[in-house]
Amino acid sequence: MDRYLSALKAGDFSAAMTQRCHGATVADAQRELFLQQAADLTHVDGVESIKVVPASAVHIIPIDRAGVATPFDYEVMTATGSHLLHGVAVFQDGRETLCGYGQEHVDSFAATITAPESTGGDAGRLADLMPSRPPDGMHQVQDGASTVTDSSTADRLESWTRAWARNGFGGVRVTANRFASVADARRSATEAIGKLVGDAVGQFSIAGGSGAVGVRYAAEAWTWVQPADVGPMCDSVHLIYDDMVVVIAACGLRPTDSHAVVEQLVDQVNSNR
């Protein structure tokens, strides 16, 4: 961990990737973004040092399953104190390599965060669900059928997304995906929420959100050195309307910010049904 943090501070991408297992290396095309976020955390947000401490009962699943896994915990030292994170190493190429991480309370989030229940009823055209009033200080940058997909949305029938950006950093996105059945919609939401658990720093409910599930997560978590109260955060809210999943995401938030941005967007989506 010391060698890894030293490489991040020095902006040495190759040296940092050498400390990570094969499956956890960052693509070269994302080098600049990764280094910029690492620099923000280490030079702006005050990540100073890392101390490996005795492992807890939390076992992080390694990204590479080959090789013997060794769980460990580590404290990230910042100007505000020490912050516990969980890690796992695997033996590759004749040495230990870092192969996964989790936020401090990943075990409790994994046990309690579940997909929302369907509110029932056809929500109509996907485009009609989209909020029309952007958050303060943001401008629209996208409105149309979504072309981005992953394993959680590979079987969707149709989609629509609308996004706004803030000058400088951050923005929001609302995406609606329709599936063949309520069961498919719930499976998609369950998988998508599950992918956030390791980076989650909190969960929240939305007043009037019809069972919406909200998760706050570390926006620069892929660096493996961002604790819960340092650096930018994102809020993600999932709602299910019959065979449709609506995902509302807001990024560029401070750790102390409320959930007001996503709450306002949930209200608009519910009003458009």
Side-chain angles (χ1 to χ4, degrees):
M1 287 302 303
D2 287 338
R3 290 192 296 270
Y4 178 67
L5 181 60
S6 294
L8 294 184
K9 287 183 173 182
D12 191 334
F13 182 78
S14 297
M17 293 306 104
T18 298
Q19 301 304 320
R20 295 170 70 133
C21 66
H22 299 320
T25 55
V26 176
D28 194 64
Q30 296 180 298
R31 172 195 297 253
E32 294 305 319
L33 177 61
F34 179 85
L35 288 178
Q36 181 58 61
Q37 293 188 358
D40 288 344
L41 288 170
T42 57
H43 298 301
V44 178
D45 296 315
V47 172
E48 300 170 351
S49 61
I50 287 177
K51 176 184 177 183
V52 175
V53 297
S56 64
V58 176
H59 286 188
I60 303 299
I61 298 173
I63 296 170
D64 276 354
R65 303 295 182 91
V68 178
T70 303
F72 65 94
D73 290 349
Y74 57 105
E75 293 179 346
V76 177
M77 311 298 181
T78 71
T80 61
S82 64
H83 314 271
L84 185 70
L85 295 176
H86 305 290
V88 64
V90 298
F91 196 77
Q92 283 186 349
D93 301 331
R95 59 189 176 83
E96 295 283 358
T97 58
L98 308 175
C99 208
Y101 111 108
Q103 288 287 333
E104 181 175 5
H105 301 295
V106 61
D107 52 338
S108 61
F109 291 142
T112 58
I113 296 179
T114 59
E117 296 295 332
S118 172
T119 62
D122 190 339
R125 293 178 65 247
L126 303 188
D128 292 340
L129 275 178
M130 297 293 108
S132 58
R133 301 187 306 279
D136 293 341
M138 296 191 187
H139 60 280
Q140 187 171 305
V141 293
Q142 186 178 1
D143 183 36
S146 174
T147 58
V148 177
T149 188
D150 59 19
S151 60
S152 69
T153 57
D155 59 345
R156 67 188 180 189
L157 302 179
E158 58 175 330
S159 66
W160 197 272
T161 190
R162 185 171 293 172
W164 299 264
R166 180 185 293 113
N167 290 332
F169 178 74
V172 299
R173 177 178 297 277
V174 179
T175 302
N177 293 303
R178 191 187 300 278
F179 296 87
S181 66
V182 175
D184 287 343
R186 184 169 175 79
R187 178 207 54 76
S188 172
T190 300
E191 181 176 341
I193 293 170
K195 292 178 179 180
L196 300 177
V197 166
D199 303 331
V201 302
Q203 54 184 313
F204 58 94
S205 58
I206 301 286
S210 304
V213 172
V215 177
R216 172 159 291 183
Y217 63 95
E220 297 174 345
W222 65 337
T223 62
W224 296 351
V225 296
Q226 184 186 10
D229 59 353
V230 172
M233 298 286 154
C234 295
D235 280 351
S236 178
V237 176
H238 284 72
L239 307 98
I240 299 179
Y241 303 119
D242 195 32
D243 58 0
M244 183 187 303
V245 178
V246 177
V247 183
I248 299 171
C251 286
L253 304 170
R254 294 183 297 268
T256 55
D257 284 346
S258 71
H259 307 295
V261 173
V262 290
E263 288 172 345
Q264 295 167 7
L265 295 172
V266 169
D267 286 343
Q268 289 191 57
V269 171
N270 280 329
S271 297
N272 290 340
R273 291 184 60 200

